Amino acid sequence: MTLATQPMPGLVDAYGRVAEDLRVSLTDRCNLRCSYCMPADGLAWLPGRTILSDAEVVRLVGVAVGRLGVRKLRLTGGEPLLRPGLAGIIRSVRELRTRDAEPPEVALTTNGIGLDRQLEGLVAAGLGRVNVSLDSLDPARYARLARRDRLPEVLRGLEAAAASGLRPVKVNTVVMRDANEQDVVPLAEFCLERGYELRFIEQMPLGPRHGWDRTAMVSAAEVLGRLQEHYRLVPLPGRGAAPSEDWQVLGDDGAVRGRIGVIASVTRPFCRACDRTRLTADGQVRTCLFSQTETDLRTPLREGASDEELAELWLGAHRGKGPGHGIGTAGFRQPERTMSSIGG
Ligand code: SAM
Ligand code: SF4
């Protein structure tokens, strides 16, 4: 049997975890400057020649889906709606087939700006789900956190997501001390009324240097405490590899009002169940948000490597995946790249 016809193992690591969920960053650029993600002045953007072309993105995703067992894709960034070829990339990756001969599921994480204008085309191309990040409903607080006064555009994007029929529409919120703690319940109410699934994410040390303080971080437990002052929360089982711990929200009359989740990446890490692999906009595989090393696929790709060779490199990266992010341990070091450049 030749190498080309040998079935390859999935992206298994030394701890027996299998990565089937690929996060693809399509750009490191963004039209917001969320304080937990990017410095106020932005960053030195990745040089254009290092950014994978649309065809290169599709080729590498094809290796992951066709050879390495990836089933789910999430397109992110930076802000993925800033990528001119986004609809074309979605259309092309939906033509790929997983090992079960299914098209991969394709989801998008976005800040929502411009989503109202682009969504119809993205859905026609095969987009299956969308998450919109929203940290406050108060225009002044939103503008302070995102360092841009663009809340109305985000809300228009969110309305477009609801009107598109994509379900569930998920909303991501990072709660910051002395910044948007007072938004927890208004955001919950806003999402429950509209049928959106809200997930509160603990702030991780992936933003500007020295911008994270464990003692100041608003924990998932604290967020749940605030919610419990207003709602009855019933834990939902069946988390699997999902980072979110979900709760059913009951109204005063006991009727189900919806679902809210918390992503306790810092206080209750889910590394043992991690099923993720990541590809940066400049073609580097990261096995973890907090990796200190990356595996370059762009150079071999441009030098003519075959799909098998690229798959071997990707597999090799996962064999070296660490057991967990180690936040709070003595040896922990924040990675060089910020969240915007890794792809959240
Ligand atoms: N620009 C898009 C957006 O904001 O949704 C996609 C990229 S963004 C990096 C993806 C997600 O990461 C967002 O929901 C954002 O809130 C989250 N995020 C960014 N920095 C974070 C941090 N330091 N800790 C936790 N979540 C973070
Ligand atoms: Fe941009 Fe998203 Fe980072 Fe905010 S969280 S700065 S929207 S990449």
Side-chain angles (χ1 to χ4, degrees):
M1 196 183 270
T2 67
L3 190 65
T5 55
Q6 258 172 8
M8 283 194 140
L11 284 170
V12 190
D13 64 38
Y15 301 88
R17 297 166 299 188
V18 183
E20 298 189 333
D21 181 340
L22 167 61
R23 313 259 146 160
V24 185
S25 173
L26 294 179
T27 176
D28 59 326
R29 295 178 185 237
C30 191
N31 39 16
L32 299 182
R33 296 285 182 276
C34 304
S35 56
Y36 48 75
C37 181
M38 269 214 220
D41 299 336
L43 293 160
W45 306 125
L46 294 169
R49 67 189 147 69
T50 69
I51 303 286
L52 298 178
S53 68
D54 295 357
E56 288 173 333
V57 170
V58 174
R59 167 103 188 271
L60 290 179
V61 172
V63 168
V65 169
R67 295 176 181 265
L68 295 172
V70 163
R71 296 167 203 276
K72 292 197 276 181
L73 304 174
R74 179 164 292 278
L75 304 177
T76 180
E79 178 43 50
L81 293 179
L82 297 180
R83 175 100 186 196
L86 178 59
I89 291 174
I90 293 175
R91 194 170 302 108
S92 299
V93 297
R94 286 284 293 171
E95 283 165 11
L96 300 169
R97 290 295 172 266
T98 65
R99 289 165 160 189
D100 303 330
E102 299 288 338
E105 292 173 29
V106 182
L108 182 75
T109 299
T110 169
N111 63 27
I113 296 172
L115 190 62
D116 51 335
R117 293 190 301 278
Q118 291 199 40
L119 193 54
E120 198 181 326
L122 302 182
V123 173
L127 180 68
R129 280 207 295 113
V130 65
N131 288 18
V132 178
S133 303
L134 171 64
D135 296 327
S136 179
L137 291 165
D138 176 81
R141 276 199 299 280
Y142 183 91
R144 253 198 313 280
L145 264 167
R147 301 196 185 100
R148 297 287 185 275
D149 186 7
R150 304 191 73 167
L151 178 62
E153 294 162 85
V154 179
L155 296 179
R156 279 207 298 278
L158 202 43
E159 275 172 31
S164 72
L166 296 185
R167 293 291 179 273
V169 173
K170 291 191 181 177
V171 173
N172 292 347
T173 300
V174 177
V175 185
M176 304 266 290
R177 183 81 60 211
D178 301 327
N180 61 341
E181 290 159 280
Q182 61 273 63
D183 287 293
V184 167
V185 173
L187 276 167
E189 201 51 34
F190 173 85
C191 290
L192 289 169
E193 280 170 6
R194 289 163 181 77
Y196 308 153
E197 281 185 23
L198 175 60
R199 287 120 41 95
F200 292 100
I201 308 172
E202 284 181 346
Q203 186 197 357
M204 294 178 279
L206 286 170
R209 300 267 128 194
H210 314 298
W212 187 83
D213 174 1
R214 172 74 179 78
T215 56
M217 189 197 77
V218 180
S219 67
E222 195 175 330
V223 169
L224 286 171
R226 276 181 183 263
L227 291 170
Q228 273 159 340
E229 288 170 14
H230 297 264
Y231 307 108
R232 206 142 67 77
L233 302 181
V234 180
L236 285 165
R239 176 184 183 186
S244 171
E245 296 168 50
D246 289 341
W247 305 76
Q248 199 169 51
V249 183
L250 304 183
D252 290 337
D253 55 358
V256 176
R257 294 202 54 204
R259 180 191 264 249
I260 288 183
V262 290
I263 302 186
S265 327
V266 178
T267 58
R268 285 199 295 274
F270 34 86
C271 304
R272 271 191 293 181
C274 181
D275 69 345
R276 301 208 176 151
T277 184
R278 293 171 190 275
L279 182 65
T280 64
D282 56 345
Q284 311 297 305
V285 168
R286 294 182 66 91
T287 59
C288 174
L289 280 172
F290 295 92
S291 298
Q292 293 293 340
T293 57
E294 300 182 338
T295 300
D296 180 19
L297 296 188
R298 182 188 75 242
T299 306
L301 168 73
R302 290 184 178 171
E303 288 175 351
S306 66
D307 283 4
E308 289 90 323
E309 287 164 337
L310 293 167
E312 276 298 344
L313 287 168
W314 209 322
L315 274 171
H318 270 265
R319 286 189 201 110
K321 176 166 169 153
H325 57 48
I327 297 173
T329 60
F332 177 78
R333 271 190 303 137
Q334 179 171 341
E336 284 300 316
R337 289 190 195 244
T338 62
M339 186 69 131
S340 58
S341 165
I342 297 169

